[in-house]
Amino acid sequence: MKFSPQPACIDLGMMWAHALWTLLLLCKFSLAVLPAKPENISCVFYYEENFTCTWSPEKEASYTWYKVKRTYSYGYKSDICPSDNSTRGNHSFCSFLPPTITNPDNYTIQVEAQNADGIIKSDITHWSLDAITKIEPPEIFSVKPVLGVKRMVQIKWIRPVLAPVSSTLKYTLRFKTVNSAYWMEVNFTKEDIDRDETYNLTGLQAFTEYVIALRCATKESMFWSGWSQEKMGTTEEEAPHGLDLWRVLRPATVDGRRLVQLMWKKASGAPVLEKALGYNIWYFPENSTNLTKTLNTTNEKLELYLGGKTYWVCVVSYNSLGESPVATLRIPAIDEKSFQCIEAMQACLTQDQLVVEWRSSAPEVDTWMVEWFPDLDSEPSTFSWESVSQATNWTIKQDELKPFWCYNISVYPVLQDRVGKPFSIQAYVREGIPSAGPVTQADNIGVKTVTITWKEIPKSQRNGFITNYTIFYQAEDGKEFSKTVNSNILQYDLESLTRKTSYSLQVMASTSAGGINGTTINFKTLSISILEIFLITSLVGGGLLILIILSVAYGLKKPNRLKHLCWPDVPNPAESSIATWRGDDFKDKINLKESDDPVNMEEDRVLKPYSSPRDLIDKLVVNFENFLEDVSTEELGKGQENILREEKNEYVTSPYRPYCPPISTEIPQRKSQQLCSRIPEGICLETTEQLLSSVPNLGPDRICEEGEPNPYLKNSVTTREFLTSEKLPEQTKREV
């Protein structure tokens, strides 16, 4: 029988299949993620309740369940924590319940963690039930003082019901005063098994309320019970403790007296509830006890008016049980010089406290008086103070000071009975943004500069230390600019502004918490400065001054030329040739003028109108005084008759010189018409009315006296124009 050989490809396929299955198995085992091993196993035996174990596994990536294995009865029995006892769903605790719990006993505990990839077990732990027993806390039912026993309270409580009857219990008692945040503890044991237990707490303060709490445990156990409900009690009252005494010295008046404000309070460490019925005060000058004065008050402050000498003041408080120790204080004389030993001081905030530290150059000083009060715009009404010993720092809680208030803190060195010079600083327990901004105004506005001034913010509105001021200013439709200055500067000069431009401005006050803007003001720069006005005025004035100087110099050099410019020559009518014209000569001159200038003949014969009669008359004057000197009385009368008869020439006299007509009482109408034809209409009407009204009154008395000069014409230097009659052309025609 022959067998055909198997193909080689089949063998190779089988080998590859086995290799693939092997690779898949290796990948499966390499990708498996086992649960974390349980660690930190802890078990507690809650007496007569349960036995509970806990552990702390890492955060699992997949669903994990746990199994807790226990051996008990000293290793003879074992069991597993019931599945319904919080071992499912990633829970990390399990409890064993009675009746399988026996005491005393020793247990072993092992925890298994399991998920889809496998199981991992914890280490085996051993537990003694006596060492891990935890019982209920005791119940306090009274905290009372013992009659006649000072500074002590008696605490009574009930022993826990669920506690081993035969076991000795240990206790921890904690207590504190009502207003304190710090507990003090006392440990003790009770071997008796009485249900009602007592304990006397001593070393307390008199008349002080305390808060008490208890916890207990079996003597062998490491686990304490919880704290009991707190209970309060008060110690008995006794005579008052000592007083802390302080003073505030005011400046001396003119008569040498000064106001001293005395203040006192319970000494540090005195009972919180201590009360005094009153205070006895006496004071006297140093080395003069016979001048002692005594006062009584129920207040904790008193004002005394003392002289300029050194005084001693003593204060005691009293109640129904007695008096406190005497508190004394020395008031130095006005001219006494105090010593100074504090070199530096600083304040800082740490968590919820304000800490003040200082450095002293006198190591023998170990007592300090710290004084603080709010820094307000008005005089503070209350002062706070505290004595510090054996330290160069002082601490106060922030809750005891108001936020956003500035406090003045002063430290006085005290050496025996003498008080040195204080060192003072200011501090805030909390800073905020100021409540209001500074009030601003613009002064000394110029062309390109302005002075900005602002007022300090009131102390009650600052809410912190002002760190700086920032000036914001902006032109109309322009870019905003800012300038920052220190807090001690209240004025700033802005420069490089634009001429004749409106600006808006405000000042911001800043603290460490932020800033707030003040009032907004508007101003406009000038178009021209006072300096420029002064320069222009100086240039113009200087030019005028130079011109005057040159004019004076020119006048001194050529006086006639300057006189001619300032006072030109006025023609003298007396020297004019018109005064010598007579009769035919006058007619010839007129004819000569007409023949010489026939074109202007008609224009010359017509009198040009003027703005007013007075101006016309003022220009028609000749010096009749000189003329009368040349003409005789007979020729004057003859000339007047010829003028009236022949109507050759007429003179218009000034209205201030009376007109002297012939003795004839009739005035030809023709003459009147001829005269009016040469005079403007308004003047003619007025003259005609004057002539008509004067005709009836003409007589011997109205006739002008010969040779009588007119004072007006005598003093006049104005040149008058000479007028001719309009009839002259007609006469000329007849003669021709």
Side-chain angles (χ1 to χ4, degrees), residues 282-357:
W282 63 93
Y283 60 96
F284 53 89
E286 194 172 33
N287 302 325
S288 299
T289 56
N290 57 335
L291 300 177
T292 302
K293 295 183 180 181
T294 305
L295 297 172
N296 181 270
T297 182
T298 57
N299 299 323
E300 292 186 344
K301 60 182 178 180
L302 181 68
E303 292 185 352
L304 297 176
Y305 284 91
L306 304 179
K309 300 179 181 179
T310 302
Y311 278 80
W312 283 89
V313 179
C314 304
V315 182
V316 296
S317 62
Y318 60 89
N319 61 11
S320 59
L321 300 177
E323 292 184 345
S324 68
V326 179
T328 60
L329 185 65
R330 181 178 179 272
I331 307 299
I334 294 178
D335 56 353
E336 181 178 322
K337 294 184 178 180
S338 302
F339 67 94
Q340 185 174 4
C341 64
I342 301 178
E343 298 178 345
M345 187 164 62
Q346 66 176 1
C348 59
L349 294 174
T350 58
Q351 296 181 352
D352 61 343
Q353 293 180 336
L354 175 66
V355 180
V356 179
E357 299 177 343

Side-chain angles (χ1 to χ4, degrees), residues 143-156:
V143 178
K144 295 181 179 179
V146 177
L147 184 62
V149 181
K150 307 296 183 183
R151 304 185 182 186
M152 187 190 79
V153 292
Q154 189 177 72
I155 300 102
K156 293 183 179 181

